[in-house]
Amino acid sequence: EVQLVQSGAEVKKPGESLKISCQGSGYTFASYWIAWVRQMPGKGLEWMGIIYPGDSDARYSPSFQGQVIITADKSTNSAYLQWDSLQASDTAIYYCARRRDGYENWGQGTQVTVSS
Amino acid sequence: DLQMTQSPSSLSASIGDRVTISCRASQGITNYLAWYQQKPGNVPKLLIYSASTLQSGVPSRFSGSGSGTDFTLTISGLQPEDVATYYCQAYYSVPNPFGQGTKLEI
């Protein structure tokens, strides 16, 4: 069974850094793109970027380029989303998803709350 | 950049109705189009990929059509459990943008 398990909820202050994770199992992790999707409170799904764990080729939405960094470690079957300096507007649920035919599998989501 | 536009943004229908949601891509994406259902508090769920292929386990009342730039999701015989927000997404290349969503109420 394919599973994507994300790290737990985070509460941070503005200006702090953060790295959240997504660990895959039940398939060859290195062979499928993993995307990150943001959902702000009460809003729709926003595509942030995607990475191919096999060679760590990462691509970003223009809206998120320079705002976040997407990385992967195929030795631990994990993908990561990180911020160097969080803002209150980063408060959202962040999902990882495996791209196959469409985004077939999703993580459970990581709630990130940024508040002073 | 590629953009996806859904219509309507919300709609209200009755049990048993046939419901249609439209999605338009700003450039051609052949049939690399997926539809998702998201119920409140839940993770998005893949319903349809390749514009018209039903994901395993999805009820047959859901169907998709279209190619190029214009696509449609149809629910034939609306059920109470179909209350959700529906999103289209292009995955032809990168980026893989989502439509803004269609909130379906009964």
Side-chain angles (χ1 to χ4, degrees):
Chain A
E1 179 194 6
V2 173
Q3 281 194 311
L4 296 174
V5 178
Q6 298 185 228
S7 50
E10 302 274 0
V11 180
K12 292 290 190 179
K13 291 181 166 36
E16 292 187 330
S17 62
L18 176 64
K19 189 174 187 178
I20 64 175
S21 66
C22 168
Q23 185 171 42
S25 62
Y27 73 100
T28 304
F29 184 77
S31 299
Y32 293 88
W33 293 84
I34 292 284
W36 286 95
V37 177
R38 183 174 80 173
Q39 188 164 41
M40 299 176 74
K43 302 299 183 181
L45 304 174
E46 297 177 90
W47 188 83
M48 301 177 71
I50 197 167
I51 190 164
Y52 189 73
D55 60 6
S56 291
D57 180 10
R59 317 280 180 87
Y60 296 87
S61 162
S63 299
F64 292 94
Q65 180 83 50
Q67 308 305 308
V68 297
I69 299 171
I70 296 172
T71 57
D73 182 347
K74 61 184 178 182
S75 70
T76 59
N77 288 355
S78 296
Y80 302 93
L81 177 65
Q82 68 180 83
W83 295 259
D84 288 337
S85 180
L86 286 161
Q87 304 174 32
S89 57
D90 294 316
T91 295
I93 298 173
Y94 293 87
Y95 295 102
C96 63
R98 182 180 78 134
R99 174 176 153 175
R100 186 169 173 249
D101 289 311
Y103 287 12
E104 184 175 355
N105 309 98
W106 292 69
Q108 81 276 21
T110 296
Q111 172 70 55
V112 174
T113 303
V114 184
S115 174
S116 55
Chain B
D1 279 347
L2 176 62
Q3 295 184 14
M4 307 301 291
T5 303
Q6 280 182 240
S7 61
S9 56
S10 66
L11 76 123
S12 182
S14 300
I15 301 300
D17 280 357
R18 183 173 183 264
V19 171
T20 299
I21 299 170
S22 297
C23 177
R24 174 166 288 178
S26 60
Q27 60 195 73
I29 57 171
T30 64
N31 68 334
Y32 287 89
L33 191 282
W35 289 97
Y36 302 87
Q37 176 192 65
Q38 187 180 32
K39 297 182 180 182
N42 283 13
V43 177
K45 174 186 175 183
L46 178 64
L47 296 177
I48 288 169
Y49 62 91
S50 299
S52 61
T53 303
L54 205 62
Q55 175 70 351
S56 176
V58 174
S60 59
R61 64 180 179 273
F62 291 91
S63 63
S65 64
S67 67
T69 60
D70 292 301
F71 302 88
T72 300
L73 172 69
T74 300
I75 309 173
S76 301
L78 192 65
Q79 297 299 304
E81 60 266 32
D82 299 334
V83 169
T85 300
Y86 294 84
Y87 298 91
C88 64
Q89 182 200 27
Y91 59 99
Y92 178 61
S93 63
V94 175
N96 296 163
F98 293 91
Q100 77 275 22
T102 296
K103 186 174 183 179
L104 175 57
E105 298 174 323
I106 293 177

